Amino acid sequence: MVDDDKAALRRRLRSARRAVGARERLAAAVAMDARLQQLGLPRPHSRISAYRAMDGEIDPSIVLRRALALGCDIHLPVITCRRRRSMSFVPLTGAGEPAARSRALAPRWLDLVLVPLVGFDDRGNRLGMGAAYYDRHFGFLRHRRAWRRPLLVGLAFGLQRVNRLPVAAHDVPLWGIVTERGFYRGGWR
């Protein structure tokens, strides 16, 4: 698949994601959280990262409320420099806002990362927004023989699943993808 095809696929999937109605969106988020519970995720007192939903992404808020009740430390990805495509994982404060960047946690110390995506395939390949922030920050996982941590779990609507995505050398596969329809084991076995 050439870059133009990838861009067209990205546009089509983002449009489909945005078209999900409010009632279906909430039902999907509840079902996704139930699937994560079945997987035992998040684990109590773990360090997790999650995003704030935008542009029609499935909302992880229900998962985050449960994670707080389990005593988890929650971190939000914050873009620190667009030109260098860098981000930090900063703790969520009691007021629901990111803490100071000086308190950022290195990606390798997270236990679970809930990753937004535009599209995915059954092999754990992820189509993101195109800037490779997650691939850049979790690239160290490509050099491991066994998956330890963090677990990269994509959150998506079932309609975002495609047959096959192109894979670049810098792409980091997801450990798994959770949708309202089920769990898809990623590229790490």
Side-chain angles (χ1 to χ4, degrees):
M1 181 180 286
V2 296
D3 286 337
D4 289 341
D5 292 339
K6 202 171 183 180
L9 179 61
R10 189 176 278 118
R11 282 191 302 276
R12 182 176 60 82
L13 290 172
R14 286 177 71 191
S15 177
R17 182 176 73 180
R18 285 190 298 265
V20 175
R23 184 174 291 149
E24 294 83 9
R25 188 173 293 284
L26 177 59
V30 169
M32 175 203 56
D33 181 53
R35 299 218 185 278
L36 282 169
Q37 284 184 53
Q38 291 169 350
L39 292 168
L41 298 173
R43 291 183 181 97
H45 308 289
S46 58
R47 293 176 299 260
I48 69 172
S49 173
Y51 58 93
R52 288 195 172 153
M54 60 178 224
D55 191 41
E57 294 168 338
I58 196 163
D59 190 350
S61 297
I62 294 171
V63 178
L64 295 182
R65 283 193 292 277
R66 189 166 54 82
L68 285 172
L70 291 170
C72 296
D73 292 328
I74 297 174
H75 296 76
L76 295 176
V78 175
I79 295 173
T80 54
C81 182
R82 288 192 190 280
R83 188 177 35 100
R84 285 183 286 182
R85 296 183 177 171
S86 63
M87 66 181 175
S88 295
F89 295 89
V90 297
L92 187 66
T93 66
E97 293 298 319
R101 289 184 186 153
S102 61
R103 295 186 46 213
L105 189 65
R108 70 183 65 250
W109 297 112
L110 292 164
D111 298 305
L112 172 66
V113 180
L114 302 176
V115 182
L117 52 85
V118 175
F120 70 95
D121 66 21
D122 289 344
R123 289 170 298 287
N125 297 311
R126 169 186 176 267
L127 178 66
M129 295 294 282
Y133 282 100
Y134 283 90
D135 293 317
R136 180 173 280 104
H137 288 82
F138 294 99
F140 63 90
L141 292 171
R142 286 192 317 268
H143 306 291
R144 291 187 177 169
R145 291 189 187 274
W147 195 293
R148 289 190 178 69
R149 75 171 185 209
L151 295 181
L152 302 183
V153 177
L155 303 183
F157 296 104
L159 61 85
Q160 294 173 259
R161 180 178 172 210
V162 299
N163 288 334
R164 188 176 189 106
L165 287 172
V167 179
H170 69 271
D171 288 343
V172 176
L174 299 172
W175 177 81
I177 300 97
V178 177
T179 75
E180 77 281 12
R181 298 177 187 167
F183 171 69
Y184 302 89
R185 182 68 182 212
W188 294 82
R189 301 286 181 228

